[in-house]
Amino acid sequence: MRKHETAVFILPAGLLVCALLGVPMLMMARISLNHYDPMVLMVEALTAENYLRAVTDPYYQQVLMVTLGVALSSTVLTLLLAFPAAYWLSRMESRWKSTVTILTLFPLLVGNVVRSAGWIALLGNDGLINATLQEAGFIVGPLRLLYTPGAVIVGIVGVVLPYMVLTLSAVIEGIPRQVEEAAGNLGARPLTVFRRVVLPLATPGVVAGSVLVFILCMNAYATPVLLGGPQFQMMAPAVYDQFSRVSNWPFGAALAFILLIVTLLMTVVGSAALSRKYRAA
Amino acid sequence: MGTLSLQGLRKEYGQSVAVERVDIDVGEGELVSLLGPSGCGKTTTLRMVAGFIEPTEGRVVIAGQDVTKMPAYARQTGMVFQSYALFPHMTVAGNVGFGLEMRGVGRAERDRHIMEALKLVQLDHLSERLPRQLSGGQQQRVALARALVINPEVFLLDEPLSNLDAKLRAQVRGEIRALQQRLGLTTLLVTHDQEEALTMSDRLIVMEGGRVRQVGTAEELYENPADAFVADFVGRCNIVKGTIEGSAMRSESGSLLPCRMEGAPANASVLALRPERIAMQPGTDGSGLTARIGAVLYLGAQTEYQLDLDGTVLTAIRPTPQDNDALRHIKTGDTVNISWDPAAARLLPA
Ligand SMILES: Nc1ncnc2c1ncn2[C@@H]1O[C@H](COP(=O)(O)OP(=O)(O)O)[C@@H](O)[C@H]1O
Ligand SMILES: [Mg+2]
């Protein structure tokens, strides 16, 4: 089949993306340039005032920084946790391999909201951990576990971990075992084999997994709202607040685009840096 | 270069035994090959030498030192993998220099050794290429250079030629052997290809079902196989089952085949006869054995004949007859007289 004939295959997906993503995005872009009036809400205009406010207002600067901080630390933590698991999974030889792979997907069956509710029951002031510790007499008052950045990061990592594990193990699977053995045969200890052979060859997986996870983290909604509490703000909930609570669509749209652009920039810069670091090893 | 000694090596995988009671000694500068059909435990044995798998029982001794419990990275073995296993993200020079780097050899000295090793395999002009930019034969040479540059005590080759095409295989076979002899490399070679083993080795070890069947030089194995399996696996051989009658063997289909009685083991149950030892005369004079030609396969320098002796099928291989030779015009369906020196027909255990 020739090239322009196979192109037909991307048509359904392409149309869907255009209709459900492209069109709303264009509308949002237009809205972000409108003016907001508390009395009449949105006024047709062509102004950059929403973007200016979003980048100069210390509150929203702070929200963006918190979002970046949470997303970056969650991504790094996820990577550190997922790599050993993915390695083990992809090097597994037993007949349980496919079962374990499916088990990896299991957490995805539990939606974010349900999962976060579970975390609340675990971490809250009257939650399982505090109750147990108090019962045992280790602490007097409850520890503050819930409504902390730590709770949000742990919660997000739990959500995105399966994506990272599966992305990484698909790539590690493609690294022949003999290549690792060859390094060992030439005198490399296990850690050196990892650093000089496995990691460089797994870089495409590290990049793909990190990009995927970073994007998911930047846009996290349910977890920061439920586990971060009212004082804790990240970008996605902030965008939603502007649209639904304040009804300031232009500002909400501007915030959304800033989130999108920052995510895109970080993704491009980060993956280029990672790829360069390990390509010529 | 050192010696290699495997003592009572055994490897179990759960209930099944992959390698059992393997005793092998490889002398300094000697090339010994492990020959056997697929699944007979050759790779498992080699990997126990390299240290990738731990034997269930037995010892691995390299250069006089018991290395059975030593991790692979601490053993001085140079292995060439069947798949070559080059580092795809490193250049040819990077691949070859890796082992030196692990040994803490400095930059300048490393580069010198890398170029020496690459010259040895005639690849010094490609040192900056990546493995994927090389042909299969070139990749194989890089793998050889990479294993040799670290001056290993023993050199391990796992089916080194199986990924090359037939023509290249014969050439590389000669090159590896020449290199091995020139550098005096103590080598253990694994192969399922008998021609490879026969042409390259000082000694061969025939394995089957995880056990060693026979050890010997190519000639010893070919002329004096210990059993029917070795006779059949090393070179081609007619194996005929039957019962001994006087100084001949009565085949199951009733033909009486002359054979050598002296030296025949008590448990002998088959007759082994090399195809090139069978002589043929066209026509029948009523004496000796008569066979019908079942097929004639022209192989160029040689011709192969399928002979049917009332149901017992033998294969004969003769130099292709000249124009004036009476055998020249023999064809399928003809009847011929066949004979052989009884000393060439050995009685062996199955
Ligand atoms: N990791 C393993 N687990 C279980 N059985 C194995 C394993 N590796 C090899 N075997 C078995 O051990 C036997 C010998 O294998 P191998 O040494 O690879 O044979 P060869 O190299 O002679 O073809 C085979 O029957 C094979 O199935
Ligand atoms: Mg093998």
Side-chain angles (χ1 to χ4, degrees):
Chain A
M1 218 181 293
R2 267 168 298 166
K3 241 185 198 146
H4 60 272
E5 287 172 342
T6 50
V8 170
F9 295 145
I10 65 162
L11 212 60
L15 283 177
L16 195 73
V17 169
C18 281
L20 296 181
L21 189 66
V23 174
M25 288 294 286
L26 283 176
M27 287 171 62
M28 289 265 288
R30 180 64 196 91
I31 290 171
S32 73
L33 299 173
N34 281 342
H35 175 73
Y36 171 74
D37 184 294
M39 300 308 294
V40 294
L41 302 181
M42 192 157 66
V43 182
E44 194 97 357
L46 218 61
T47 168
E49 64 187 25
N50 299 304
Y51 288 96
L52 281 176
R53 181 184 157 208
V55 296
T56 51
D57 186 329
Y59 177 75
Y60 288 104
Q61 286 176 349
Q62 167 77 8
V63 171
L64 184 59
M65 285 305 137
V66 167
T67 306
L68 274 170
V70 167
L72 280 172
S73 21
S74 304
T75 305
V76 170
L77 193 60
T78 305
L79 190 58
L80 292 179
L81 290 173
F83 207 108
Y87 183 83
W88 174 77
L89 180 63
S90 57
R91 288 296 185 243
M92 209 170 153
E93 271 173 9
S94 92
R95 60 209 160 91
W96 298 106
K97 186 169 183 159
S98 52
T99 315
V100 175
T101 308
I102 291 168
L103 279 179
T104 314
L105 284 168
F106 239 67
L108 299 178
L109 287 178
V110 184
N112 288 353
V113 175
V114 176
R115 188 196 311 248
S116 295
W119 284 98
I120 292 172
L122 189 70
L123 301 174
N125 283 356
D126 308 318
L128 184 66
I129 293 179
N130 273 318
T132 313
L133 287 177
Q134 277 172 308
E135 192 77 22
F138 288 121
I139 52 172
V140 183
L143 291 176
R144 187 181 165 83
L145 299 172
L146 196 61
Y147 302 147
T148 59
V152 176
I153 292 175
V154 169
I156 289 179
V157 169
V159 175
V160 297
L161 204 50
Y163 296 100
M164 185 72 99
V165 170
L166 292 177
T167 312
L168 285 175
S169 65
V171 174
I172 297 173
E173 193 103 37
I175 305 173
R177 225 205 163 107
Q178 283 87 325
V179 172
E180 284 177 62
E181 287 176 347
N185 180 250
L186 293 166
R189 287 159 184 271
L191 261 180
T192 313
V193 177
F194 174 77
R195 196 170 49 79
R196 295 290 309 273
V197 176
V198 179
L199 197 54
L201 292 177
T203 299
V206 171
V207 171
S210 302
V211 163
L212 178 65
V213 161
F214 180 74
I215 292 172
L216 288 171
C217 293
M218 285 295 281
N219 292 290
Y221 181 84
T223 315
V225 167
L226 292 171
L227 299 185
Q231 306 304 318
F232 186 86
Q233 266 296 8
M234 279 176 67
M235 284 298 273
V239 170
Y240 180 75
D241 279 354
Q242 290 303 317
F243 274 90
S244 70
R245 284 207 210 143
V246 193
S247 290
N248 187 343
W249 285 30
F251 187 61
L255 277 181
F257 269 93
I258 286 172
L259 175 60
L260 177 74
I261 290 161
V262 170
T263 307
L264 205 66
L265 273 177
M266 291 293 294
T267 304
V268 170
V269 172
S271 54
L274 265 180
S275 305
R276 180 134 15 89
K277 181 155 193 273
Y278 282 108
R279 191 167 306 140
Chain B
M1 276 289 148
T3 55
L4 170 68
S5 172
L6 307 184
Q7 300 165 1
L9 222 50
R10 174 184 168 88
K11 179 66 192 175
E12 287 171 17
Y13 285 113
Q15 295 298 310
S16 69
V17 180
V19 168
E20 187 155 30
R21 268 191 264 137
V22 166
D23 293 285
I24 294 173
D25 278 291
V26 185
E28 197 156 334
E30 189 185 26
L31 191 156
V32 171
S33 50
L34 284 178
L35 173 66
S38 180
C40 73
K42 307 179 296 287
T43 299
T44 306
T45 306
L46 199 73
R47 289 168 58 81
M48 285 193 278
V49 177
F52 300 137
I53 41 187
E54 203 181 311
T56 313
E57 255 173 58
R59 303 202 310 153
V60 178
V61 180
I62 294 175
Q65 190 189 3
D66 186 338
V67 298
T68 316
K69 299 277 178 220
M70 196 184 265
Y73 63 80
R75 296 187 189 189
Q76 301 293 320
T77 67
M79 177 136 170
V80 175
F81 292 80
Q82 188 168 6
S83 57
Y84 312 143
L86 298 179
F87 307 126
H89 57 304
M90 298 183 200
T91 61
V92 167
N95 268 276
V96 176
F98 188 84
L100 297 171
E101 211 181 314
M102 293 302 118
R103 281 161 178 74
V105 177
R107 190 62 190 257
E109 200 188 338
R110 201 160 75 213
D111 286 346
R112 196 165 51 75
H113 285 305
I114 293 171
M115 286 324 274
E116 268 172 25
L118 285 176
K119 276 208 186 80
L120 217 54
V121 295
Q122 291 129 40
L123 277 182
D124 41 321
H125 59 296
L126 297 179
S127 64
E128 290 313 308
R129 292 261 185 102
L130 284 172
R132 64 168 172 274
Q133 299 166 316
L134 301 178
S135 71
Q138 291 169 332
Q139 291 184 21
Q140 212 247 5
R141 287 154 189 265
V142 177
L144 283 172
R146 184 177 70 172
L148 287 178
V149 78
I150 57 171
N151 268 322
E153 295 285 359
V154 284
F155 192 40
L156 305 172
L157 301 164
D158 190 2
E159 312 250 4
L161 308 175
S162 61
N163 287 328
L164 302 176
D165 54 60
K167 185 110 191 207
L168 201 55
R169 201 176 299 173
Q171 182 198 333
V172 175
R173 197 161 69 195
E175 286 173 2
I176 292 181
R177 177 60 164 162
L179 200 65
Q180 181 267 331
Q181 285 181 320
R182 185 148 57 89
L183 303 178
L185 305 171
T186 305
T187 307
L188 189 61
L189 168 94
V190 157
T191 179
H192 67 271
D193 183 62
Q194 47 126 339
E195 196 179 322
E196 205 168 296
L198 289 172
T199 53
M200 292 178 75
S201 330
D202 293 308
R203 280 189 304 144
L204 294 87
I205 294 168
V206 181
M207 284 184 74
E208 202 257 334
R211 289 166 184 267
V212 172
R213 282 290 187 117
Q214 193 176 359
V215 182
T217 63
E219 203 179 324
E220 281 164 6
L221 295 186
Y222 193 80
E223 302 296 341
N224 261 321
D227 57 31
F229 176 82
V230 175
D232 193 35
F233 201 78
V234 178
R236 292 187 61 181
C237 201
N238 291 296
I239 305 282
V240 183
K241 279 197 209 132
T243 47
I244 294 159
E245 258 185 52
S247 65
M249 172 171 263
R250 175 78 66 186
S251 76
E252 282 169 347
S253 64
S255 307
L256 200 58
L257 311 173
C259 58
R260 185 170 85 165
M261 294 311 294
E262 64 266 28
N267 58 348
S269 62
V270 301
L271 178 145
L273 177 63
R274 298 284 179 199
E276 71 275 14
R277 306 300 289 263
I278 302 178
M280 298 190 306
Q281 293 296 321
T284 49
D285 56 8
S287 71
L289 288 165
T290 309
R292 205 182 62 85
I293 301 279
V296 179
L297 301 170
Y298 176 75
L299 303 173
Q302 296 177 320
T303 301
E304 183 179 321
Y305 304 89
Q306 298 291 337
L307 306 170
D308 186 349
L309 288 81
D310 302 324
T312 301
V313 175
L314 297 177
T315 301
I317 296 176
R318 305 299 307 172
T320 295
Q322 303 296 310
D323 281 340
N324 53 2
D325 195 316
L327 282 175
R328 176 78 193 183
H329 303 291
I330 269 189
K331 55 186 192 304
T332 306
D334 288 355
T335 309
V336 291
N337 251 350
I338 60 171
S339 60
W340 56 81
D341 177 357
R346 310 177 145 271
L347 294 174
L348 298 176

